[in-house]
Amino acid sequence: MSVSQETIETVAGLEKYKHGFVTDIEQEFAPKGLNADIVRFISEKKGEPEWMLEWRLAAFERWLAMEEPTWAKVDYTPVDYQDLHYYAAPRTKAKPKSLDEIDPEILATYEKLGIPLKEQMVLAGVEGAPKYAVDAVFDSVSVVTTFREELAKSGVIFMSMSEALREHPELVKKYLGSVVPVSDNYFAALNSAVFSDGSFVYIPPGVRCPMELSTYFRINAENTGQFERTLIIADKGAYVSYLEGCTAPMRDENQLHAAVVELVALEDAEIKYSTVQNWWPGDPVTGKGGIYNFVTKRADCRGDRSKVSWTQVETGSAVTWKYPSCILKGEGSVGEFYSIAITNGRQQADTGTKMIHLGANTRSRIIAKGVSAGKSVSTYRGLVSAHPKAKGARNFTQCDSLLIGKECAAHTVPYVEARNGSAQFEHEATTTRLSEDQLFYAMQRGLSQEEAVQLLVNGFVREVLQELPMEFAVEAQKLVAISLEGSVG
Amino acid sequence: MNAPVRLDLRDASTFPTRRVEDWKWSDLKRFLREAPAVSPAIVVAPGGPFAALGGQEIAFGNGLTVDAASEARFEGAGVLRLRFVSDAQSTGHQASATVVVPAGAELLVLESYEGAGSAYASNVGLTFEVGEGARLTRVVLLEEPEDVISVSVADVTVAPHARYEHTVLASGAKLQRHETRVNHPGHGASVRLDGLYVLAGSRHADLTTVVDHQGVGGVTSQLTKGVVADSARGVFQGRIVVDRGADQTDARMGHHALILSDKAEIDAKPELEIYADDVSCAHGNTIGALDENALFYARARGVPEHEARVMLTQAFLGEVTDRIEHEGAREAAQAWLAERLEALL
């Protein structure tokens, strides 16, 4: 397909949020509201061990005592936590043995999502499909996990959290909550109490995970907050690349998403975590109906020379509140954060990272690109800190914001705390608008204004796109274009 | 956004804690739990650190002028030496002053905080009004004992085509906070906000600025540099706000600091808050040790290590004092820096 043809099709597809559809399958709900009984209900439904229930109840107690944070530069209708379902599971007849047994509606849902990750081909068992392991999360319960056997050969454990609780309780017990404690923040406590499911990954020592692991999140049922819990452990010398992609159907009511992602990297291990987030951003004019994305993501570089790299492309959600962070504990450990946050319409994104240097010679790098258009607000908020023992810590931070339109806003709020004499921190930030000269040049070469903007914005965020795995980068590039639809002219 | 803290030493409920975001790194409540007793009146001899530069003088002694007023007002041009002299033991005092520069006039304010005694708390509130086409240069010298609390907050209103420039020279205290809030009208007005901190022992200095660009075509240039040794702590908080419609704003902010000890700390928060799209705003922030290569180079050329350190540090920090246009004020600032560095290194 020629580039221009592709552009035309992309633009044609912009008319409507293409992932805004609803799949009708039978759902099993917990009653609305949140109390200790609901927590017990969820735990029981999932057949969890007693310690897990205790853990959840303790988190719930903590949550009750906490207050919703208000420091972020976002403004939204408060969430009524008693008006949500905290559990919704699709009814499956029995445990599916093969893909054929999966509800065709679910498979059709994947089809409608397009093939950003080629997961469908994998799910459909197409020959020659690339090796991706998919843990599909369909409204809270993992429906199918493919490629598990192949992964098992190399000793990689990749399964849903509920399965992991049954099959590897010792690993879950050891690491769950060890990076993000239950009382870490309001939304993490809520998640700890009611998380429905999520992914669990364990890479044994010295193993380089043979394929990219990927989860497909979808929020489907009306009024169900989704509380994912992801735990990835890379043991000594292991490597894993994990992809997370998100789409959600169009909805009138605000949907809450409060996930927790914990990464643990032991000695010499490396984790690469990539996210493309494209949730329903709400009505572009009124801002009504979008997803609230209040996520806690944190990596613990526990071992010496370990490395964690976060890459995110945030184009969706009405409100985003997300700070993937790295605790650089191990000597010589490395943390990286590459982010693109694009807001349009009435979207609000308050996102950034924390790089906490605890160990000697730890290094971190932050590249954050924010693009605001329409009436949106985009904020970079970050912390870089070096503790007294973090001798020789180094950080480089670059945050650039691009403004498109008179009514949008872009903020940069970096915190830097240096507590020893050998730390070296560099930070630079710029805020500018799209260059008229460049626009003129591109349009003079025959591009429409919209195409010219897309071209320039893609150039602006290129540094980050390059960090994404190839397949994701292609999808992300299109997303960038889609997100900016209607922002000029 | 939280409203700015209005500190009143007589009312402990106005004392900010570190939970107040803008005071996160300067936890006043930790050092001052209750309202201190009022400091006794003292007699201040005329002069002060800027005496050689002449001009008129307004001096406060423990918060009171010669006429026993806790407020003063000045309107005019030329040179004004605004002195806040403290000499007290474990008591507190506060003062306020308003300085107006009439349209088209030019004023140099030499503001000094001179302390003696110990453990006192001083709180100063200032208001500056710079008239249309006027120019105000403010050089602030903070020289106080190591165990005192000193807070000074200035509200600056600038008219179109006016210039406001300040340079703050801080040597720290137990808690020393120098805050400036500027209403920037754009329309040909320009603002320069510079700062310098040289901290030793367990001293703390906090240089905080907020510039709110409210009109088209405003220019702001900001450069703060510092050096901390021993277990001292330097804090820089700079916020540049560009309101909706304040297009063609050009704002630059830089904060660069050296840490000389593993127990010292530097905290920085250079913020941009932008609501207009046709702007050019940038900030840079670097924190690190003295460049070992440069030091090695100097020593290889035969410069003794101590001298090389002083030379390099002075060159690094001197960029700030060099930006003071008034010759006399610049020389006073350079002399202060040289003296402070010699003591520090």
Side-chain angles (χ1 to χ4, degrees):
Chain A
M1 186 164 30
S2 73
V3 177
S4 60
Q5 182 63 28
E6 197 173 2
T7 312
I8 290 164
E9 282 178 20
T10 308
V11 175
L14 300 176
E15 299 297 313
K16 200 165 144 259
Y17 181 72
K18 64 175 177 176
H19 302 321
F21 52 84
V22 177
T23 313
D24 249 328
I25 46 169
E26 287 182 72
Q27 297 253 1
E28 191 179 354
F29 288 106
K32 268 187 183 177
L34 180 56
N35 53 48
D37 284 338
I38 292 290
V39 176
R40 284 195 193 90
F41 173 86
I42 295 169
S43 191
E44 195 191 315
K45 270 279 168 209
K46 300 170 66 58
E48 290 176 352
E50 186 64 26
W51 65 265
M52 196 61 227
L53 174 63
E54 295 299 324
W55 195 80
R56 283 175 181 273
L57 287 171
F60 178 69
E61 284 299 316
R62 298 298 291 264
W63 179 74
L64 285 179
M66 292 168 103
E67 274 180 33
E68 200 168 332
T70 54
W71 43 260
K73 279 197 174 78
V74 293
D75 177 28
Y76 56 92
T77 324
V79 178
D80 181 355
Y81 293 93
Q82 297 305 332
D83 195 37
L84 294 170
H85 289 285
Y86 285 86
Y87 184 78
R91 288 215 185 116
T92 41
K93 291 153 214 157
K95 229 182 169 218
K97 287 182 188 64
S98 75
L99 281 171
D100 299 342
E101 289 179 32
I102 296 292
D103 196 325
E105 283 257 26
I106 294 180
L107 289 177
T109 300
Y110 291 128
E111 206 162 319
K112 280 191 233 169
L113 287 172
I115 32 169
L117 299 171
K118 301 181 182 166
E119 284 164 350
Q120 258 190 81
M121 285 162 71
V122 177
L123 285 166
V126 174
E127 218 171 313
K131 285 183 181 177
Y132 283 96
V134 182
D135 181 16
V137 177
F138 193 84
D139 258 23
S140 311
V141 170
S142 287
V143 181
V144 64
T145 304
T146 51
F147 277 111
R148 183 171 319 158
E149 279 170 32
E150 188 163 343
L151 287 169
K153 266 187 232 158
S154 49
V156 173
I157 303 170
F158 180 35
M159 53 180 56
S160 72
M161 192 60 92
S162 2
E163 281 173 291
L165 270 166
R166 280 193 296 276
E167 292 176 30
H168 302 280
E170 72 300 335
L171 280 175
V172 178
K173 199 171 177 178
K174 183 172 173 192
Y175 290 105
L176 190 71
S178 71
V179 184
V180 180
V182 292
S183 56
D184 187 78
N185 68 66
Y186 187 79
F187 299 110
L190 178 65
N191 175 288
S192 302
V194 301
F195 76 81
S196 37
D197 214 333
S199 304
F200 176 84
V201 179
Y202 174 79
I203 317 288
V207 171
R208 194 178 165 87
C209 187
M211 60 188 83
E212 310 241 351
L213 303 180
S214 149
T215 297
Y216 221 95
F217 289 101
R218 244 185 97 71
I219 298 176
N220 197 49
E222 204 161 355
N223 275 336
T224 46
Q226 202 168 25
F227 304 95
E228 298 295 334
R229 188 92 195 185
T230 302
L231 177 57
I232 300 176
I233 303 139
D235 213 320
K236 290 176 188 175
Y239 168 85
V240 63
S241 167
Y242 189 89
L243 319 176
E244 173 198 55
C246 315
T247 56
M250 192 184 284
R251 278 295 173 193
D252 211 15
E253 290 191 40
N254 289 304
Q255 290 176 304
L256 174 67
H257 185 96
V260 171
V261 175
E262 295 178 281
L263 311 184
V264 180
L266 301 182
E267 253 167 69
D268 297 300
E270 181 177 348
I271 302 175
K272 189 173 167 61
Y273 193 104
S274 315
T275 309
V276 171
Q277 190 259 110
N278 180 28
W279 282 329
W280 172 234
D283 186 282
V285 179
T286 62
K288 195 167 181 262
I291 304 274
Y292 289 177
N293 189 18
F294 301 143
V295 182
T296 308
K297 289 184 170 179
R298 195 173 302 154
D300 192 354
C301 293
R302 256 172 230 190
D304 295 350
R305 297 168 303 279
S306 55
K307 178 177 176 183
V308 168
S309 173
W310 296 100
T311 308
Q312 60 172 29
V313 179
E314 301 281 324
T315 62
S317 293
V319 182
T320 303
W321 187 97
K322 178 181 175 187
Y323 315 93
S325 307
C326 294
I327 300 168
L328 301 166
K329 223 179 274 173
E331 219 167 276
S333 57
V334 178
E336 290 177 348
F337 176 75
Y338 300 98
S339 164
I340 300 172
I342 296 180
T343 54
N344 198 353
R346 287 207 173 259
Q347 279 176 276
Q348 306 170 63
D350 197 302
T351 182
T353 185
K354 283 185 184 181
M355 291 291 173
I356 299 166
H357 294 257
L358 300 174
N361 298 316
T362 45
R363 283 171 292 149
S364 62
R365 185 178 165 83
I366 300 169
I367 308 285
K369 304 275 183 181
V371 181
S372 344
K375 293 184 175 178
S376 67
V377 183
S378 156
T379 304
Y380 168 83
R381 187 185 300 277
L383 166 72
V384 177
S385 74
H387 288 250
K389 283 181 185 161
K391 302 262 187 297
R394 271 175 170 267
N395 165 268
F396 174 76
T397 303
Q398 188 182 339
C399 332
D400 295 319
S401 305
L402 193 63
L403 295 151
I404 304 174
K406 287 268 166 253
E407 288 175 285
C408 57
H411 311 314
T412 314
V413 192
Y415 290 73
V416 183
E417 298 178 351
R419 290 199 207 131
N420 77 63
S422 53
Q424 201 157 337
F425 289 171
E426 291 171 63
H427 173 109
E428 56 185 69
T430 61
T431 304
T432 47
R433 74 164 169 174
L434 221 49
S435 153
E436 292 284 349
D437 291 351
Q438 290 174 3
L439 261 184
F440 177 77
Y441 179 85
M443 284 168 72
Q444 197 207 29
R445 290 287 173 279
L447 295 181
S448 72
Q449 191 179 26
E450 193 121 88
E451 288 163 340
V453 169
Q454 287 171 7
L455 181 80
L456 295 181
V457 170
N458 264 309
F460 175 73
V461 300
R462 201 173 60 112
E463 252 179 297
V464 175
L465 285 179
Q466 283 171 337
E467 295 298 323
L468 285 170
M470 230 280 279
E471 296 75 7
F472 248 35
V474 174
E475 156 83 345
Q477 203 163 336
K478 283 185 189 153
L479 263 183
V480 168
I482 290 170
S483 313
L484 290 170
E485 145 76 355
S487 61
V488 285
Chain B
M1 181 91 27
N2 298 331
V5 167
R6 290 296 173 210
L7 179 65
D8 183 348
L9 287 181
R10 292 164 298 188
D11 180 1
S13 71
T14 65
F15 299 177
T17 65
R18 64 191 179 87
R19 300 195 69 83
V20 176
E21 202 56 24
D22 281 348
W23 289 75
K24 179 181 163 65
W25 292 314
S26 300
D27 185 355
L28 183 66
K29 196 98 183 186
R30 191 175 144 216
F31 297 128
L32 197 62
R33 303 220 149 259
E34 284 163 22
V38 177
S39 301
I42 54 164
V43 178
V44 179
F50 294 114
L53 294 170
Q56 299 181 60
E57 175 178 308
I58 294 178
F60 288 87
N62 285 353
L64 295 175
T65 61
V66 170
D67 308 324
S70 63
E71 284 179 34
R73 186 184 159 88
F74 177 89
E75 187 167 349
V79 177
L80 170 69
R81 282 180 289 118
L82 188 57
R83 300 173 61 204
F84 297 93
V85 182
S86 299
D87 188 354
Q89 307 284 338
S90 312
T91 53
H93 46 270
Q94 46 194 7
S96 62
T98 300
V99 174
V100 179
V101 190
E106 205 166 303
L107 177 70
L108 170 67
V109 172
L110 299 161
E111 190 178 319
S112 56
Y113 295 78
E114 306 158 40
S118 74
Y120 65 78
S122 151
N123 178 29
V124 171
L126 295 166
T127 307
F128 292 96
E129 288 166 24
V130 191
E132 189 152 350
R135 180 177 181 188
L136 172 63
T137 306
R138 188 176 162 219
V139 176
V140 183
L141 180 63
L142 296 150
E143 278 284 4
E144 290 170 292
E146 189 165 3
D147 63 348
V148 307
I149 291 167
S150 169
V151 177
S152 170
V153 179
D155 283 298
V156 182
T157 307
V158 182
H161 305 290
R163 276 168 81 176
Y164 170 79
E165 295 170 327
H166 87 206
T167 305
V168 180
L169 310 168
S171 55
K174 190 177 187 181
L175 186 152
Q176 187 175 69
R177 162 96 161 195
H178 191 273
E179 182 176 324
T180 309
R181 301 178 163 269
V182 182
N183 286 319
H184 195 316
H187 294 100
S190 85
V191 168
R192 174 173 67 76
L193 303 169
D194 292 350
L196 197 54
Y197 53 88
V198 181
L199 310 177
S202 60
R203 285 172 180 261
H204 160 285
D206 172 343
L207 303 184
T208 295
T209 59
V210 179
V211 186
D212 186 1
H213 296 86
Q214 296 160 338
V216 175
V219 176
T220 295
S221 162
Q222 193 169 5
L223 180 66
T224 300
K225 288 194 164 191
V227 57
V228 295
D230 307 326
S231 59
R233 184 180 193 188
V235 176
F236 168 76
Q237 302 187 103
R239 185 186 301 144
I240 289 176
V241 183
V242 179
D243 292 354
R244 186 134 294 153
D247 286 319
Q248 278 113 47
T249 293
D250 185 343
R252 318 261 143 200
M253 180 198 291
H255 170 249
H256 309 283
L258 292 174
I259 308 190
L260 302 184
S261 142
D262 281 346
K263 285 188 195 138
E265 175 171 350
I266 289 174
D267 302 309
K269 183 165 72 155
E271 270 183 84
L272 296 174
E273 199 175 324
I274 317 283
Y275 298 93
D277 79 328
D278 185 8
V279 298
S280 173
C281 297
H283 67 229
N285 181 57
T286 55
I287 299 172
L290 202 61
D291 186 352
E292 288 297 326
N293 289 329
L295 196 61
F296 177 79
Y297 179 84
R299 292 181 65 194
R301 290 289 171 282
V303 182
E305 186 177 341
H306 174 77
E307 220 170 284
R309 281 187 188 279
V310 173
M311 190 174 78
L312 288 171
T313 313
Q314 192 155 9
F316 172 74
L317 299 173
E319 196 188 341
V320 175
T321 49
D322 288 351
R323 280 159 59 106
I324 303 173
E325 278 178 39
H326 188 277
E327 197 181 345
R330 184 175 63 241
E331 281 167 6
Q334 284 165 339
W336 173 84
L337 174 61
E339 193 184 316
R340 274 283 158 190
L341 277 185
E342 195 55 50
L344 185 84
L345 301 167

